[in-house]
Amino acid sequence: MRSLAGRMLMASGLLVGLLLGVGWALVALLGAPLWFPMAFAIGFVLLQYAVSPWFIRWLITAQELQRSGDGYLGGHPLGDLVARRSRDAGVPLPRLGIIDDGTPNAFAFGRTPSSAHVWVSRGLLERLDEDELDAVISHELGHVKHWDMVIMTVAAVVPMALYMLFVMARRFDRPEARAVALGSYVAYLVGQLAVLAVSRARELAADDWSRRCTGHGDALASALVKIAYGIGQVDADRAGQNEGEGEKKKGFMSRLRGQGDEGRMGAAQVLGIMSSRDGRQLHALLADNAEDSAAAVAGLRWDRTNPWARVREMLSTHPLVATRLEMLGRPGPGASTRWAGVAEAAVGTPDEVRRARSRFGVELVVALAPWAVMIPAFAAWYLIEEASLVPWALLVGGILLFAKQRMRYPFGYRPVERITSLLERLDAGPVAGLPVQVRGRIMGRGMPGYVLSPDMVVSDDSGFVPLIYTNPIPFAAEFFGLFRFNNFLGREVVTRGWYFRDAGGPRIELRDVSLEESAGRVRGWDWVVRHGFALTVFAIGVLAVLATTTA
């Protein structure tokens, strides 16, 4: 825990340092008051802090279990587990809700431990065994125990204040004001990275509490792998095996499923998405399923082989699964004995590492080149009023943007026989899309229970993967989530799109998804707009160059 506290203190110190440095420049160079941006930032974040629990309850529907004293009414097995682990964590009994959605997820929210909520999806209950569910619940209560809601609220004040300093500095029509404004915006971006670092540290701290509380770090590790990579099977198999063993031996999940609507609890196959040369050693890790074990290693191999994994981790609220398994294996109560070693061994061959680094270099250049051309030209225009480079920067930048979109959205969609095979693609990343066609059933939303979520999750016999629906028209995505999503839920579909991978896990950005048995289709439009934007920048650049050369 000391190293985790150190990470959090370093990130917090960076936030304070950024605020003091930019605030001094604003006061000393421009004579502007510092109290206004601070007051606005604090007021805005406090308002968000006050209304967010109500807002989440409104947007993410869940069936809430009624509390009574130090437990929940009805003898619900999940309620018994949450009540027991709340006592272990020394926190008040949280409000507990079950989201009717097949996508596995759980999260905690609230203002303080006394107003905490823990929301758990049906998909999580269907896919985890008793020890894994115990570990995940303990992790969520770890967030409550550590007052994470307050910590993140305080951390969010600094980037908001830095952004307000940027807005204020822009109002002064002086050269030094432009420099302060630019510095404020850079500090704001760095501040956002620091907040993400605080968020990752709190996730690791909650993981540490879970392993210490349960004494079973391997259970949390297994749950993380299943949730992130979609590995394992719906509990229907275990429930079926347990039916003949008597009420006493039926097991936690079988009893839990009996509490709800059997039609809704019936279910979706899980995700299995990885493979590796080390798969033979892991046969017993996931329900004695060698295929799932191999899939788990494939997912971890991407985390430890592709350079994009570490880069994107810096831009994520959650650490990589491999990072979390490494922490769970460190000496201490409940340390993982199996999965930490698996994560350590799941590395590509030297040739695979070399190819991954080479691809990373090319993709990084393609991703940054348009902005490396255009940003300095516009910065010179803004800081020293030198605009001669802007036309050429737009022309060249437009060409580079178009090349970037062609790398991101290639054509030639290849059918995928098993969704789990996608995790074997070490060449996947966040920049270069892999065109794929997937058949399966829509099992839930990308964000379980969120009524405006337009993203879908598709499953087949081997696993599932999120489908990201994009539409740049304001509120079009929310309209789809609210009014059209249910037309696809539980239906067999054919999906075309581009497979990406980053720290948040695998995903497919939609080009289109169609119902197999009837008319019904939805298209994603972001790829069209991105190409159009690149061509527009190029066209403006051409016109600007012609205007300057003929003037």
Side-chain angles (χ1 to χ4, degrees):
M1 278 293 289
R2 267 182 262 175
S3 64
L4 299 177
R7 292 189 195 186
M8 195 169 293
L9 285 173
M10 285 179 59
S12 302
L14 176 60
L15 287 170
V16 174
L18 288 169
L19 184 59
L20 291 176
V22 176
W24 175 86
L26 191 76
V27 174
L29 299 180
L30 305 181
L34 188 59
W35 68 266
F36 176 76
M38 285 301 301
F40 182 90
I42 293 172
F44 183 85
V45 172
L46 286 178
L47 176 64
Q48 186 180 46
Y49 174 72
V51 304
S52 61
W54 171 84
F55 204 60
I56 292 172
R57 287 199 308 271
W58 179 55
L59 288 176
I60 301 181
T61 56
Q63 181 179 357
E64 191 171 342
L65 276 63
Q66 297 300 311
R67 294 178 291 183
S68 175
D70 59 353
Y72 298 89
L73 297 176
H76 199 295
L78 178 63
D80 294 342
L81 172 60
V82 173
R84 175 163 55 91
R85 289 309 186 191
S86 296
R87 290 192 293 270
D88 292 339
V91 300
L93 198 67
R95 295 176 65 168
L96 176 61
I98 299 177
I99 303 168
D100 182 25
D101 192 288
T103 303
N105 201 356
F107 58 95
F109 62 99
R111 301 183 190 91
T112 64
S114 61
S115 65
H117 302 60
V118 174
W119 263 209
V120 179
S121 75
R122 167 172 53 87
L124 192 79
L125 304 179
E126 291 176 334
R127 285 172 172 75
L128 303 187
D129 65 27
E130 182 175 356
D131 289 337
E132 293 163 344
L133 184 61
D134 185 9
V136 171
I137 292 299
S138 297
H139 168 93
E140 298 304 331
L141 291 172
H143 286 306
V144 178
K145 177 182 178 66
H146 299 150
W147 288 69
D148 281 0
M149 302 83 87
V150 176
I151 290 173
M152 291 308 297
T153 298
V154 173
V157 169
V158 176
M160 175 61 66
L162 289 168
Y163 186 80
M164 291 307 302
L165 293 175
F166 160 70
V167 172
M168 178 175 288
R170 286 193 311 173
R171 302 177 60 132
F172 293 86
D173 189 21
R174 304 201 320 249
E176 59 269 29
R178 297 191 186 101
V180 172
L182 186 61
S184 300
Y185 192 75
V186 171
Y188 159 72
L189 296 177
V190 175
Q192 294 283 36
L193 293 178
V195 171
L196 292 174
V198 172
S199 179
R200 292 193 298 274
R202 75 188 182 99
E203 290 296 334
L204 293 175
D207 287 348
D208 185 70
W209 166 251
S210 175
R211 74 168 188 167
R212 289 191 291 119
C213 178
T214 64
H216 199 349
D218 276 315
L220 180 60
S222 177
L224 290 172
V225 169
K226 286 184 177 182
I227 295 168
Y229 305 143
I231 297 185
Q233 294 186 354
V234 171
D235 194 56
D237 291 343
R238 288 193 299 274
Q241 291 171 358
N242 289 334
E243 280 303 324
E245 296 179 11
E247 188 69 46
K248 186 176 180 180
K249 295 185 178 181
K250 273 193 174 182
F252 178 85
M253 291 306 301
S254 180
R255 291 186 289 118
L256 179 61
R257 288 165 61 91
Q259 297 284 337
D261 182 339
E262 292 184 1
R264 292 185 305 167
M265 290 293 192
Q269 294 295 322
V270 266
L271 178 64
I273 308 185
M274 316 160 201
S275 93
S276 160
R277 57 185 188 223
D278 298 316
R280 293 187 302 275
Q281 304 172 17
L282 307 171
H283 186 281
L285 283 178
L286 287 166
D288 295 322
N289 188 323
E291 185 174 289
D292 285 348
S293 299
V297 178
L300 290 167
R301 286 177 74 210
W302 188 91
D303 282 4
R304 304 202 64 233
T305 301
N306 196 312
W308 278 118
R310 296 297 176 182
V311 172
R312 297 295 291 188
E313 184 179 39
M314 294 177 61
L315 304 175
S316 175
T317 58
H318 287 59
L320 292 166
V321 173
T323 301
R324 300 174 76 168
L325 298 195
E326 179 186 356
M327 191 283 297
L328 289 170
R330 292 176 186 171
S336 169
T337 57
R338 294 182 300 170
W339 278 104
V342 173
E344 186 66 27
V347 184
T349 64
D351 187 53
E352 288 173 331
V353 172
R354 179 187 58 77
R355 291 201 304 269
R357 289 175 177 173
S358 177
R359 282 193 303 270
F360 169 75
V362 173
E363 292 172 6
L364 183 65
V365 169
V366 172
L368 297 181
W371 312 114
V373 169
M374 291 189 289
I375 289 176
F378 279 95
W381 185 17
Y382 179 71
L383 291 174
I384 60 176
E385 299 183 357
E386 173 54 61
S388 61
L389 296 177
V390 171
W392 288 102
L394 289 172
L395 189 151
V396 175
I399 295 173
L400 294 174
L401 279 173
F402 190 80
K404 176 181 176 180
Q405 303 317 318
R406 294 309 308 130
M407 174 179 278
R408 184 176 181 85
Y409 300 114
F411 300 128
Y413 307 94
R414 295 185 178 181
V416 175
E417 291 187 7
R418 295 173 62 83
I419 287 177
T420 55
S421 67
L422 290 172
L423 287 188
E424 299 175 13
R425 298 295 301 267
L426 290 179
D427 57 336
V431 173
L434 305 177
V436 297
Q437 177 178 297
V438 173
R439 293 179 181 270
R441 183 177 63 85
I442 301 300
M443 54 174 275
R445 294 181 185 264
M447 179 60 194
Y450 178 39
V451 295
L452 298 180
S453 173
D455 300 333
M456 298 176 273
V457 180
V458 63
S459 68
D460 66 5
D461 291 340
S462 68
F464 64 81
V465 66
L467 305 177
I468 308 302
Y469 171 75
T470 61
N471 193 323
I473 298 175
F475 306 111
E478 290 77 10
F479 180 89
F480 172 80
L482 191 60
F483 296 107
R484 295 193 61 195
F485 176 88
N486 286 333
N487 295 338
F488 292 84
L489 184 60
R491 310 280 290 276
E492 298 293 327
V493 299
V494 178
T495 297
R496 293 189 304 167
W498 298 273
Y499 176 67
F500 294 98
R501 182 78 189 270
D502 61 15
R507 69 184 190 278
I508 294 175
E509 185 176 325
L510 282 180
R511 174 168 179 167
D512 53 60
V513 56
S514 307
L515 294 172
E516 279 202 299
E517 75 282 5
S518 62
R521 187 181 189 185
V522 64
R523 296 177 175 85
W525 294 102
D526 206 38
W527 69 279
V528 176
V529 173
R530 285 173 179 257
H531 282 88
F533 176 72
L535 292 174
T536 300
V537 171
F538 172 73
I540 293 173
V542 169
L543 294 175
V545 168
L546 291 175
T548 55
T549 55
T550 57

